[in-house]
Amino acid sequence: MKSIVYSETGPAPTVLQLVDRDLPEPAAGEVRVRVVWSGVNPTDWKSRAGGGPGESLPFAEVTPNQDGSGVVDAVGEGVSGLSVGDRVWTYLSAHQRPTGTAQEFTVLPASRVVPLPEGVGLDVGASLGVPAMTAHRALTVREDGPSRLSPGSLDGTVVLVAGGAGAVGHAAIQLARWAGATVVTTISSDEKAALATAAGAHHVVNYRTGDAAAEIRELAPDGVDVVVEVAISQNAELLSQVVAHRASVAIYADNGGDTTTIPIRANMVTNTRFQFVLLYTVGEEALQAAVEDVTAALRDGVLPVGEAAGLPLHTFPLAETAAAHEAVEGDVVGKVLIEVSAE
């Protein structure tokens, strides 16, 4: 089979090599998936970049990319709920494992492989994983809010999504609207406003052209209940002016700076909760809740991809995985997918 590998980290994607490798066999509790699409996220290029050239890896060789979709090709002993021929999506595929989804076949624990509902495209499947599960966690950490998402679970809630044109932002808008929330998102251009609106945001606020705090307060006079935050170092002051009492701010990235200053008094008055989110350490209970709720949303037609749905797709062949990583690192607007094999 064809596989993308690297044996040392490096800031340039030239460390990625296309090689031939033996077809892996699933052990007990594992399944083998013929990968159709491999999804690329910031965590993938950051893991590949590491701390610099020559940094030691936990494995002699690594195949990148956490997310993917495809068809179950072989099933190991003791696996239930998955059969050869099932269309599936995968998550945390490369976490604590040497092989992710940037290869023609990948072997995974059955717990990391999820059946796709009938009629849901494999391109959608490869776009879930990190973005959708991160969005789910961000929407369910509020002290007074639900720990699970379903239609009506966020009725009466105002959700603010920072960066609504990104992959996590897109998923957060869609899941929040599916659950009944009023969704406000901040964007930086008319192009991104159109994408966030297509995703389902009720209101878009361009933070570069006016007083974003005043606009948000006008839209949500009682304040914002849940914030899905991508750039806390830039937005901490804004949030202190717009959050409701007992609001939650879920921080899933460090865009715009890796340190921040948070206004203490203003957030103390509102009893604001700041929650950091990283899928690798949220725990199995939170992961399973996300899998189940995302699957339910898919059945209801939520989380489509493509420009018309607010998330443009940028596709690359497997041999151009390095270019795919560069596109994500360069903050291309939309979702980057690698076409590994034909459906």
Side-chain angles (χ1 to χ4, degrees):
M1 68 172 186
K2 298 294 184 183
S3 181
I4 296 292
V5 302
Y6 60 96
S7 55
E8 65 176 8
T9 59
T14 51
V15 297
L16 299 172
Q17 303 295 319
L18 178 65
V19 298
D20 291 310
R21 289 291 180 263
D22 293 336
L23 193 67
E25 294 296 331
E30 296 181 332
V31 298
R32 185 172 68 203
V33 176
R34 177 176 65 82
V35 180
V36 173
W37 293 102
S38 176
V40 186
N41 299 289
T43 188
D44 298 316
W45 74 257
K46 290 176 181 178
S47 294
R48 183 220 73 226
E55 179 183 300
S56 61
L57 294 172
F59 306 99
E61 182 178 273
V62 172
T63 293
N65 299 357
Q66 299 288 351
D67 296 342
S69 66
V71 179
V72 173
D73 175 73
V75 177
E77 184 180 352
V79 172
S80 61
L82 292 167
S83 302
V84 172
D86 286 350
R87 299 164 63 259
V88 295
W89 59 281
T90 75
Y91 67 95
L92 296 187
S93 305
H95 179 48
Q96 298 180 333
R97 298 179 61 82
T99 56
T101 61
Q103 55 187 350
E104 292 178 322
F105 294 86
T106 192
V107 168
L108 293 167
S111 61
R112 296 290 184 263
V113 180
V114 188
L116 272 173
E118 188 68 29
V120 177
L122 289 171
D123 53 351
V124 173
S127 305
L128 301 171
V130 169
M133 296 176 74
T134 296
H136 180 278
R137 177 65 173 172
L139 293 169
T140 55
V141 294
R142 183 182 174 218
E143 184 175 6
D144 300 325
S147 60
R148 300 291 297 266
L149 297 181
S150 61
S153 62
L154 291 178
D155 281 354
T157 301
V158 179
V159 172
L160 172 63
V161 178
V168 175
H170 172 266
I173 290 170
Q174 294 234 318
L175 289 172
R177 178 143 187 175
W178 173 66
T182 297
V183 183
V184 181
T185 185
T186 53
I187 45 78
S188 59
S189 68
D190 291 342
E191 173 197 9
K192 292 181 178 180
L195 293 175
T197 300
H202 295 92
H203 309 285
V204 294
V205 174
N206 190 324
Y207 61 83
R208 290 183 172 172
T209 60
D211 186 338
E215 289 185 49
I216 294 169
R217 268 295 178 184
E218 184 175 354
L219 295 168
D222 295 327
V224 171
D225 303 298
V226 175
V227 181
V228 182
E229 183 55 72
V230 67
I232 187 63
S233 63
Q234 296 174 327
N235 295 334
E237 180 62 38
L238 166 68
L239 298 183
S240 71
Q241 300 175 51
V242 301
V243 291
H245 288 181
R246 300 168 69 83
S248 65
V249 178
I251 302 159
Y252 68 88
D254 59 358
N255 292 12
D258 56 8
T259 60
T260 191
T261 299
I262 296 173
I264 294 175
R265 187 65 185 174
N267 287 296
M268 185 181 295
V269 168
T270 52
N271 277 275
T272 302
R273 168 181 288 193
F274 288 85
Q275 171 79 54
F276 291 87
V277 174
L278 183 69
L279 282 187
Y280 301 132
T281 52
V282 298
E284 285 300 321
E285 184 177 349
L287 291 175
Q288 189 58 35
V291 164
E292 292 174 6
D293 295 351
V294 166
T295 298
L298 290 172
R299 292 195 191 100
D300 286 348
V302 182
L303 299 169
V305 298
E307 188 160 3
L311 190 69
L313 295 181
H314 308 274
T315 63
F316 296 80
L318 183 63
E320 296 179 16
T321 295
H325 274 222
E326 284 185 321
V328 175
E329 186 172 0
D331 292 330
V332 65
V333 177
K335 181 65 184 180
V336 171
L337 298 178
I338 297 168
E339 188 173 11
V340 180
S341 65
E343 293 193 32

